[in-house]
Amino acid sequence: MEKGADAYIMEDRRRWTTREGFFVKAVRPRVGVCSWSLRPDSARDLAGKLQDTGLSGVQLALDPLRTGAMPAEDVTAAFEPRGIHILSGMMAMDGEDYSTLESIRSTGGIVPDETWEANLGAAAENAKLARELGLTLVTFHAGFVPHEAGAERSKLIGRLGDLADAFGEQGVDVALETGQESATTLGQLLEELNDRRIGVNFDPANMILYGMGDPIAAVRALSPYIRQVHIKDAIATTVPGTWGSEVPAGTGDVPWPDFFRTLHQCDVRCDFLIEREAGESRVDDVRIAGELVERFAGT
């Protein structure tokens, strides 16, 4: 008999312990790949590329399942025979434009009013998918968080609460991607929210790409909230107001030995998901990143 979603969730929860109200891994971290990094054209294509990376874990973009572009039944059929495990989900917000820093500042995450209702509706559907897949965590970008108190910041806090409710109704927690604001601003937001269902998906490269500070200092500041880590590297821009450059893990500005050492010192226990969003050798780049995690994290 096939396990129900509740059985999968309970089985996953037993792999966690609690620290300051958050679920953290009590066992060695799992390593996987972000599905969108492999640019799959079908569930079968994704499964094949995952096998080529040598890894069996994946953070799965949920929106293709929600829209039918990659039906959930195809994912199950492709993953189960190959022993592929979905470690978490990801939701992309409608209307985001990443062409420039200025465009993503105005269109990113849940800040724009014109896309909010559609994104809230999509979140409810993605939450149901996550539960059906046995997931307990979905990540997304909230958008640029205003540092100062005011109407925009209050609006964002209210919307994050609504999203936490939508996912929480299905037994799923959420994590906000780092980078679009400083660690100080994000930490203050999370402290103000005071919601155990909302944590952080820490991406050191995003701190560099957005010019938002030192990734090591950011780990220390956000460590109580970190629920998942993206393994990605970048080189800082030399032109203020422009993007940095994403590069293969180990060839950029992220100080990986210090990064993993700091995670250990801060008692951050979570899964590592390799993300690669540039370049044409995605499978090879993921392999290299996997070796980096093995070397420094001791997984």
Side-chain angles (χ1 to χ4, degrees), residues 30-38 46-47 50 55-61 75 79 84-90 135 228 271-274:
R30 299 174 294 184
V31 182
V33 186
C34 298
S35 64
W36 56 96
S37 294
L38 299 176
L46 174 57
L50 278 167
L55 298 171
S56 60
V58 63
Q59 180 176 13
L60 186 64
V75 171
F79 282 13
I84 295 170
H85 305 286
I86 307 172
L87 306 184
S88 62
M90 185 277 286
L135 306 182
Q228 181 175 276
D271 294 331
F272 299 124
L273 278 300
I274 297 164

Side-chain angles (χ1 to χ4, degrees), residues 101-114:
L101 282 175
E102 192 58 38
S103 66
I104 193 57
R105 181 177 290 276
S106 61
T107 65
I110 59 175
V111 175
D113 294 337
E114 56 270 25

Side-chain angles (χ1 to χ4, degrees), residues 3-6 8-9 12 60-62 65-66 70-73 75-76 79-80 85-90 126-136 138 172:
K3 285 185 181 179
D6 286 336
Y8 282 115
I9 290 173
D12 189 64
L60 186 64
L62 296 174
L65 281 67
R66 175 177 58 81
M70 187 184 293
E73 56 268 25
V75 171
T76 301
F79 282 13
E80 286 188 349
H85 305 286
I86 307 172
L87 306 184
S88 62
M90 185 277 286
N126 282 336
K128 292 177 182 178
L129 277 169
R131 179 182 175 83
E132 290 167 3
L133 293 168
L135 306 182
T136 57
V138 171
V172 180

Side-chain angles (χ1 to χ4, degrees), residues 5 86 162 178 200 241:
I86 307 172
D162 290 342
T178 53
V200 167

Side-chain angles (χ1 to χ4, degrees), residues 212-265:
M212 285 296 166
D214 173 30
I216 304 304
V219 168
R220 293 194 181 101
L222 296 171
S223 60
Y225 302 103
I226 296 175
R227 294 286 309 277
Q228 181 175 276
V229 167
H230 273 175
I231 303 299
K232 189 168 74 182
D233 211 339
I235 296 173
T237 183
T238 58
V239 182
T242 64
W243 288 107
S245 301
E246 189 201 335
V247 295
T251 66
D253 292 338
V254 177
W256 291 107
D258 289 344
F259 179 75
F260 284 108
R261 187 180 303 114
T262 303
L263 288 173
H264 176 72
Q265 291 171 347

Side-chain angles (χ1 to χ4, degrees), residues 3-299:
K3 285 185 181 179
D6 286 336
Y8 282 115
I9 290 173
M10 290 306 298
E11 180 178 292
D12 189 64
R13 286 290 191 188
R14 282 193 290 270
R15 296 166 60 87
W16 298 67
T17 184
T18 57
R19 172 169 53 85
E20 297 185 24
F22 289 88
F23 283 96
V24 295
K25 282 294 174 188
V27 293
R28 61 189 292 179
R30 299 174 294 184
V31 182
V33 186
C34 298
S35 64
W36 56 96
S37 294
L38 299 176
R39 299 180 293 186
D41 57 28
S42 67
R44 189 169 186 174
D45 181 49
L46 174 57
K49 288 176 176 175
L50 278 167
Q51 283 192 310
D52 290 341
T53 69
L55 298 171
S56 60
V58 63
Q59 180 176 13
L60 186 64
L62 296 174
D63 299 292
L65 281 67
R66 175 177 58 81
T67 63
M70 187 184 293
E73 56 268 25
D74 290 358
V75 171
T76 301
F79 282 13
E80 286 188 349
R82 295 170 172 84
I84 295 170
H85 305 286
I86 307 172
L87 306 184
S88 62
M90 185 277 286
M91 175 178 174
M93 297 299 168
D94 186 42
E96 292 182 315
D97 178 3
Y98 282 90
S99 56
T100 66
L101 282 175
E102 192 58 38
S103 66
I104 193 57
R105 181 177 290 276
S106 61
T107 65
I110 59 175
V111 175
D113 294 337
E114 56 270 25
T115 55
W116 165 240
E117 291 299 330
N119 283 326
L120 181 59
E125 295 181 44
N126 282 336
K128 292 177 182 178
L129 277 169
R131 179 182 175 83
E132 290 167 3
L133 293 168
L135 306 182
T136 57
L137 183 69
V138 171
T139 74
F140 56 83
H141 276 287
F144 283 83
V145 177
H147 179 70
E148 301 296 333
E152 285 300 306
R153 185 180 174 90
S154 296
K155 178 180 75 175
L156 184 65
I157 288 173
R159 288 178 178 180
L160 284 172
D162 290 342
L163 286 177
D165 287 343
F167 281 97
E169 288 175 3
Q170 302 299 327
V172 180
D173 294 339
V174 298
L176 313 181
E177 280 231 34
T178 53
Q180 295 182 344
E181 63 285 312
S182 70
T184 298
T185 297
L186 181 56
Q188 289 172 346
L189 176 74
L190 291 166
E191 185 176 349
E192 189 172 346
L193 280 163
N194 191 29
D195 192 327
R196 295 178 178 181
R197 302 169 300 177
I198 305 174
V200 167
N201 179 86
F202 193 92
D203 187 321
N206 278 353
M207 306 300 296
I208 295 168
L209 289 168
Y210 286 92
M212 285 296 166
D214 173 30
I216 304 304
V219 168
R220 293 194 181 101
L222 296 171
S223 60
Y225 302 103
I226 296 175
R227 294 286 309 277
Q228 181 175 276
V229 167
H230 273 175
I231 303 299
K232 189 168 74 182
D233 211 339
I235 296 173
T237 183
T238 58
V239 182
T242 64
W243 288 107
S245 301
E246 189 201 335
V247 295
T251 66
D253 292 338
V254 177
W256 291 107
D258 289 344
F259 179 75
F260 284 108
R261 187 180 303 114
T262 303
L263 288 173
H264 176 72
Q265 291 171 347
C266 294
D267 196 28
V268 175
R269 297 173 243 169
C270 64
D271 294 331
F272 299 124
L273 278 300
I274 297 164
E275 185 177 37
R276 182 74 170 113
E277 297 184 294
E280 296 304 318
S281 303
R282 302 291 181 91
V283 170
D284 289 341
D285 290 348
V286 168
R287 283 178 176 272
I288 291 170
E291 293 168 1
L292 181 147
V293 175
E294 181 73 26
R295 184 162 69 252
F296 292 119
T299 57

